[in-house]
Amino acid sequence: YGPAGSTESFIIRVGAFRNSENARRVAESLQHKSVEVQVAVRADGLNVVTVGPFSRKGAAEDAAREVKEALGSFHWFFDMLIT
C-alpha cells in the first residue's frame, strides 16, 4: 500500500448495513480485488465495510474507483468516504 513507517493512513468506508448478510455480500464482492476488506460491527449494530488502509490519499482514491467498478450497477447506492 505505501512505504513502511508511514504514519498517515486512509481508509475507504464502502457502506454501513444493519443487515450483516448485506455487509458480507458487499465484502465478498470485493475480495477478488487487490485490497484489504474488513467488516466491523459497531456498538449500535451497524456492520461497516471498509477497504484499506492506504498510505497515500491518491492510492485510496484509485482504490475507491476500483471498488465502484467492482460493485457494478450497485455503486450508485454507496456514498464512499475516504478518511
Side-chain angles (χ1 to χ4, degrees):
Y1 296 102
S6 177
T7 58
E8 186 174 39
S9 65
F10 298 89
I11 302 288
I12 303 167
R13 187 181 70 196
V14 178
F17 306 87
R18 290 262 176 235
N19 183 313
S20 62
E21 244 342 88
N22 291 340
R24 185 191 60 76
R25 278 195 293 263
V26 168
E28 284 180 358
S29 72
L30 299 174
Q31 291 296 331
H32 69 281
K33 294 292 180 184
S34 58
V35 294
E36 187 176 336
V37 181
Q38 300 92 29
V39 177
V41 181
R42 295 187 342 185
D44 63 2
L46 279 179
N47 297 268
V48 180
V49 180
T50 59
V51 173
F54 301 91
S55 61
R56 294 179 302 103
K57 187 173 183 180
E61 290 168 342
D62 291 343
R65 282 189 285 279
E66 286 185 35
V67 166
K68 284 184 179 185
E69 288 176 17
L71 294 175
S73 61
F74 294 104
H75 80 277
W76 58 268
F77 178 73
F78 300 98
D79 183 22
M80 287 186 231
L81 175 66
I82 299 175
T83 57

